[in-house]
Amino acid sequence: MMLMECYVNLPSFRLVMALTLSISMTFGCGARQSPAGGNGQTTGTTYRIDTSVLRTMTVDYDHKSSPEELVKSRDHEAIVIGSVEGFEQGRDIYDIDDDPYPDKRVVMHVRVDSTIKDNGIVNGGRVYVDLDQGGLYHDGTPSKSLDDFRKAVPAGVRVMLFLFSDRRTALRIEGAENGLPSGAVLVAPDPQGMVFDDGSKLVGGQEDLEGEWKAMGSIDEVALRVKKALGVE
């Protein structure tokens, strides 16, 4: 399965598109008060997750309406459950010759608590997820800072990830090791493969949950269905 990323390359349009998407996603995102987790699991903590920071690029892919469809149609290199530890500044990617402004990336650090599948991606009990930082101002400054990501997806929030190894190519990549500890590798999430638990319900990371995904109440429920589909005990 090839994941195609489509970027708007003119800096002025980058910012317009990023801000438009951010505004549209922010409305309707409110704090949750219930302390009960899904599937009878009480977390004791609820999180306000603003997924607009994660939705800054257009991805062409075939949407799957259930976890079973997803894992049977795409050969993920890792499927893990863990908790977000934070975000660090990532690499700069230049796709066009003479472009003064790169596509800037961030790295989401996730502590892995449970592994369903791993083909060598998990490193020291963690995975390091490459994400687009979004639009740029005219001086090249990112419109979304690391603090914006840290506030939008707080440390401690539970997440399930369906991952591929990073295969990004470009005209030039600077700071390829940025945001990574020694020996760690970047991973790329499936467009549907980032599911958070805010303490009361599931929240899609880069895409809204649709189909059978919406009916599931916890990451544990998703994990059970994925394990059954893969024949994993």
Side-chain angles (χ1 to χ4, degrees):
M1 174 70 187
M2 181 173 291
L3 305 180
M4 300 298 295
E5 295 183 356
C6 304
Y7 295 88
V8 177
N9 293 308
L10 294 177
S12 60
F13 285 103
R14 283 184 182 145
L15 179 57
V16 171
M17 291 300 291
L19 292 179
T20 300
L21 184 57
S22 177
I23 292 169
S24 66
M25 291 307 304
T26 298
F27 287 107
C29 180
R32 295 282 163 182
Q33 301 299 324
S34 171
N39 202 28
Q41 180 183 11
T42 301
T43 65
T45 304
T46 57
Y47 298 90
R48 184 184 185 277
I49 302 171
D50 178 6
T51 57
S52 66
V53 299
L54 305 173
R55 304 186 183 190
T56 57
M57 65 181 181
T58 301
V59 181
D60 180 19
Y61 74 101
D62 182 19
H63 181 273
K64 302 301 178 183
S65 63
S66 71
E68 291 86 352
E69 277 192 75
L70 183 66
V71 297
K72 288 180 179 180
S73 64
R74 299 177 193 159
D75 187 18
H76 302 101
E77 294 181 57
I79 303 173
V80 302
I81 299 167
S83 57
V84 175
E85 290 188 319
F87 293 84
E88 299 298 334
Q89 191 64 54
R91 56 193 173 169
D92 291 345
I93 296 177
Y94 293 83
D95 284 316
I96 300 175
D97 196 16
D98 297 326
D99 187 351
Y101 301 129
D103 292 317
K104 300 188 78 66
R105 315 294 290 183
V106 298
V107 182
M108 181 173 71
H109 290 210
V110 175
R111 186 191 71 230
V112 175
D113 301 317
S114 176
T115 302
I116 297 175
K117 180 180 180 181
D118 177 30
N119 291 342
I121 281 180
V122 179
N123 180 275
R126 286 166 175 77
V127 290
Y128 302 93
V129 185
D130 177 61
L131 298 168
D132 185 24
Q133 192 166 357
L136 305 175
Y137 291 112
H138 290 290
D139 64 357
T141 303
S143 61
K144 293 180 176 64
S145 68
L146 285 178
D147 282 343
D148 291 332
F149 279 85
R150 291 164 180 163
K151 291 174 183 176
V153 184
V157 67
R158 202 168 181 224
V159 62
M160 185 171 185
L161 295 164
F162 300 73
L163 301 168
F164 301 99
S165 60
D166 174 64
R167 299 186 182 95
R168 180 67 183 266
T169 59
L171 180 70
R172 186 170 85 254
I173 296 177
E174 294 183 355
E177 305 301 320
N178 288 353
L180 296 172
S182 178
V185 297
L186 277 175
V187 296
D190 188 297
Q192 287 183 255
M194 187 184 301
V195 181
F196 296 100
D197 188 335
D198 74 356
S200 64
K201 65 179 179 60
L202 297 184
V203 179
Q206 293 183 305
E207 297 287 334
D208 287 330
L209 299 180
E210 298 179 4
E212 295 181 29
W213 295 88
K214 295 178 66 175
M216 290 180 284
S218 72
I219 283 176
D220 294 326
E221 184 178 346
V222 180
L224 286 173
R225 291 179 60 165
V226 167
K227 288 179 179 179
K228 184 175 181 180
L230 294 176
V232 176
E233 295 297 331

